[in-house]
Amino acid sequence: MIRPHWQIVERTKPSNVQEVLEILLRNRKATSSFLNGTLKDLEPYLTVCGMNRGAQLMGRHLSAGNKIVLIGDYDCDGITSLAQMALFLNDIGYRNYEVAIPKRSEGYGIPKGIAKAHPDARLFVAMDCGTLDAKPVTDIRSMGADCIVIDHHEVPEKGLAPASVLINPKQPTCHSTFKEFCSSGLTLLFLTRLRRALSHPFRSPSLGGKYLALAAIGTVADMVPLVEGNRILARSGLSSINAKSYLPIQKIADTAGLASKKSLSAGHVGYYLGPRINAAGRMADARIAFDLLVSQHPGEILRLAQELNHLNAQRQNAEDLILRSIRERLAKISTPRRTMVMADAGWAPGVIGIVASRIQQEFHYGPTIVFSVDEKEGIARGSARSIPGFDIHAALKDCDEFLIKWGGHKMAAGMTVSMEQMERFARRFEAVAQEHSPDIFVPKARVDLELNLDLVSRELLDALALLEPHGLGNPTPTFAARRVRLSVKKVFGREQNHLRLLLNNCIEGTFWRGAQEYAQGNWREDTPLDLVFQAEWDDYSNKPVLNVKAVGHFLPD
């Protein structure tokens, strides 16, 4: 594992908690609205191009009683978008609709045969897909039906699907200043406009509660920046989740072992709830997750939540197998590379995206692409994850001649390549990376400020809570301390790879995956050491603890 270069953003050392909060806000270029934004502050974000026009079009189809087909991608963002739309139609008493979710084996996007499968439908609404699906959207339009696309993927210079209305803030004609909503967030904003477009006899449902919870889960799970409108959606949605009024999410949390938690954070959504919703599409059928999210029957909700938990365990096992295989292959590579492209027929296609993320983080290849090979068809479907400074979408554009199809955004993408072209693609991809500055391939990690350990208290944790939820654009506050004396209290974990530490003889900490460094003698207990950490409140012991990120002699002067 490559040790990052730690960079301290703020050199001023605070003497009290208020100064800590001021520095953290300054580091994030945040104003008071960052802390106090409410749902009313979402109004300016409703200027996304197509929002009003799409709502009016769907309103006309609802008034006419036309059959509607709802299409959602098979990941968490797509499923939470689809669930919101279906719940809205249920809440207004509209039943003339069907739901279509592509199988992962069909590939990303609107299913190609969707128009033939629903010849009597007059409106198709695609969420988290559709921007690039020119053929199926053309087929829909050619049979006289309308198609509304609610999507957030990159918009190409050519090949744009001919949707009746495209709601995507990344299209050049969109004047919205904020471009980073995921589809789940856009769907909730769209529903606020659709509610206004409804006419008699439809009632106007409240869009709090379950809608906010779903928008928050999709936003956190899709790893869009948690700033501006996304931050408001995530904060409000987490409040709805913690109110425990939406039984499907409550049961997913309970089966994930979170029943005893007083409140759930964005971290819980990202590590426990989102992966379980994703597990349905990765390991079986995304319809399982959708059915759970729209169900009103407690028995069915519990059964489906348990099924998601089981599928998530399968996902974790499949992921571990691939990770071990890739680590073994990497250990045999002696030629320095800036990218990693690996493929195997035995790798489960549903987990390659997660594996790519973990490998990229562990070894800092920039970027990483993991392929699952379909030997029968002679193709490989891959998932890519990148690093700051390397635009994966632009890189794939430079490799377009070797790809059957591809799509995504700056930090993540998916693609399909024939096995005959795999080696040429990998060489070209590496060549594109070699054209970049070498500096971006040096792993860097950010420390907000130096902090005396005696400032870690309940007061500090309460102040840090004001900055939640954390994610891209608003990272968890990270601190550094110098000349810390520590002792190892315990080595633990299934593989005995984690450490329980006592720091300065006053506060406990956990150094996840730190046992190997300690065993190799990279640092000694009896020597004052540098420490990088995050602070957390432990409900069990009712005191603060440290989540240790690094130990050693590495902080810059």
Side-chain angles (χ1 to χ4, degrees):
M1 188 170 186
I2 299 174
R3 183 187 291 277
H5 291 191
W6 294 98
Q7 300 174 322
I8 300 178
V9 179
E10 175 62 58
R11 293 291 181 166
T12 305
K13 201 168 181 179
S15 59
N16 58 59
V17 169
Q18 183 57 38
E19 289 181 7
V20 173
L21 185 60
E22 289 171 358
I23 292 171
L24 292 172
L25 286 170
R26 190 159 64 243
N27 287 353
R28 286 152 181 75
K29 298 179 174 60
T31 62
S32 59
S33 63
F34 183 87
L35 298 179
N36 304 314
T38 66
L39 289 172
K40 291 182 180 179
D41 297 312
L42 287 174
E43 187 71 27
Y45 300 104
L46 294 172
T47 59
V48 173
C49 183
M51 198 73 76
N52 285 330
R53 201 155 52 88
Q56 291 163 4
L57 176 61
M58 188 166 180
R60 291 195 293 272
H61 280 281
L62 290 170
S63 294
N66 292 334
K67 179 181 174 180
I68 299 171
V69 176
L70 307 179
I71 308 160
D73 189 35
Y74 43 68
D75 70 359
C76 187
D77 186 23
I79 294 301
T80 51
S81 302
L82 188 61
Q84 287 182 71
M85 192 68 72
L87 287 168
F88 183 89
L89 295 182
N90 293 343
D91 285 348
I92 66 172
Y94 198 84
R95 296 291 182 267
N96 190 18
Y97 75 91
E98 291 189 35
V99 170
I101 309 173
K103 299 284 196 303
R104 185 171 288 271
S105 59
E106 297 178 82
Y108 167 79
I110 299 174
K112 291 183 172 59
I114 194 78
K116 285 186 178 180
H118 302 277
D120 55 338
R122 308 308 332 134
L123 173 66
F124 293 75
V125 183
M127 289 153 281
D128 198 31
C129 58
T131 296
L132 301 173
D133 297 321
K135 179 63 166 66
V137 173
T138 298
D139 291 344
I140 288 169
R141 300 298 304 281
S142 65
M143 73 179 207
D146 285 310
C147 183
I148 298 172
V149 169
I150 303 174
D151 196 11
H152 69 115
H153 292 90
E154 297 294 333
V155 176
E157 296 175 5
K158 57 183 181 179
L160 194 67
S164 307
V165 179
L166 173 62
I167 301 170
N168 185 332
K170 293 178 180 174
Q171 58 185 306
T173 56
C174 183
H175 300 298
S176 173
T177 58
F178 187 63
K179 307 290 186 181
E180 302 301 327
F181 286 111
C182 68
S183 294
S184 193
L186 289 170
T187 298
L188 180 57
L189 296 179
F190 174 78
L191 291 177
T192 67
R193 285 298 190 231
L194 180 58
R195 184 173 59 177
R196 296 182 190 181
L198 292 177
S199 58
H200 183 77
F202 298 118
R203 53 185 179 270
S204 182
S206 168
L207 292 176
K210 59 196 177 189
Y211 294 97
L212 279 171
L214 289 166
I217 291 170
T219 297
V220 172
D222 217 51
M223 298 184 70
V224 289
L226 293 187
V227 298
E228 297 198 33
N230 284 337
R231 175 173 170 77
I232 295 171
L233 287 172
R235 284 184 65 199
S236 302
L238 284 167
S239 295
S240 295
I241 290 170
N242 286 316
K244 297 186 176 180
S245 59
Y246 182 32
L247 190 60
I249 296 303
Q250 184 182 336
K251 288 304 177 186
I252 295 175
D254 289 349
T255 58
L258 301 176
S260 62
K261 294 290 181 183
K262 293 180 181 177
S263 63
L264 301 185
S265 66
H268 293 118
V269 171
Y271 285 104
Y272 296 96
L273 305 188
R276 281 164 172 77
I277 293 172
N278 266 324
R282 294 185 188 282
M283 307 307 296
D285 188 338
R287 186 79 191 218
I288 298 168
F290 170 79
D291 288 343
L292 166 62
L293 295 176
V294 300
S295 178
Q296 297 182 356
H297 306 291
E300 180 183 41
I301 289 170
L302 177 59
R303 177 182 63 79
L304 291 173
Q306 290 171 337
E307 187 170 355
L308 286 189
N309 202 49
H310 176 68
L311 290 171
N312 190 59
Q314 290 183 2
R315 186 270 305 171
Q316 290 171 321
N317 290 334
E319 182 183 325
D320 289 342
L321 288 172
I322 301 174
L323 282 168
R324 282 200 292 271
S325 176
I326 290 178
R327 288 182 185 125
E328 290 171 1
R329 294 189 191 187
L330 289 175
K332 299 174 183 177
I333 295 176
S334 57
T335 306
R337 293 180 63 86
R338 290 183 174 179
T339 64
M340 192 211 81
V341 178
M342 287 195 180
D344 197 284
W347 293 348
V351 301
I352 54 176
I354 309 173
V355 171
S357 293
R358 290 188 57 180
I359 289 294
Q360 187 275 316
Q361 292 165 12
E362 185 173 338
F363 294 96
H364 203 76
Y365 280 91
T368 295
I369 308 183
V370 180
F371 283 95
S372 175
V373 177
D374 185 328
E375 293 180 314
K376 186 176 180 181
E377 293 187 29
I379 61 172
R381 296 182 176 92
S383 190
R385 296 295 183 271
S386 196
I387 57 174
F390 190 102
D391 185 337
I392 187 68
H393 188 270
L396 290 176
K397 186 177 180 181
D398 286 341
C399 303
D400 182 70
E401 63 184 295
F402 303 115
L403 298 169
I404 297 172
K405 66 176 183 177
W406 61 276
H409 45 82
K410 290 181 179 180
M411 296 300 291
M415 72 291 297
T416 302
V417 60
S418 74
M419 289 307 298
E420 292 178 351
Q421 295 284 8
M422 178 66 77
E423 188 60 37
R424 295 185 186 91
F425 164 72
R427 285 200 300 268
R428 177 58 186 151
F429 195 60
E430 175 67 18
V432 171
Q434 291 293 337
E435 295 169 1
H436 287 66
S437 166
D439 184 59
I440 69 171
F441 299 96
V442 177
K444 303 175 186 69
R446 155 194 176 118
V447 174
D448 279 291
L449 59 122
E450 285 191 53
L451 190 71
N452 287 328
L453 292 187
D454 57 11
L455 273 180
V456 180
S457 61
R458 175 86 256 187
E459 182 187 3
L460 176 69
L461 270 297
D462 287 343
L464 297 183
L466 298 174
L467 296 171
E468 294 181 358
H470 300 301
L472 288 178
N474 179 30
T476 302
T478 303
F479 307 104
R482 299 177 189 268
R483 299 188 64 78
V484 176
R485 291 190 177 273
L486 56 83
S487 58
V488 177
K489 294 183 64 178
K490 182 181 180 182
V491 180
F492 69 100
R494 185 173 60 184
E495 299 177 3
Q496 293 292 289
N497 56 344
H498 309 310
L499 298 178
R500 193 87 68 204
L501 305 173
L502 181 63
L503 309 159
N504 280 354
N505 207 33
C506 66
I507 187 168
E508 291 187 0
T510 301
F511 189 6
W512 302 103
R513 293 179 292 279
Q516 184 177 3
E517 283 191 32
Y518 177 60
Q520 291 174 345
N522 292 352
W523 47 270
R524 296 170 59 88
E525 293 182 69
D526 56 354
T527 305
L529 297 161
D530 297 332
L531 191 72
V532 174
F533 66 92
Q534 295 167 350
E536 301 172 351
W537 187 260
D538 182 14
D539 289 327
Y540 181 75
S541 62
N542 200 36
K543 60 184 181 183
V545 296
L546 304 187
N547 182 353
V548 177
K549 298 297 181 181
V551 170
H553 298 284
F554 49 77
L555 291 181
D557 294 329

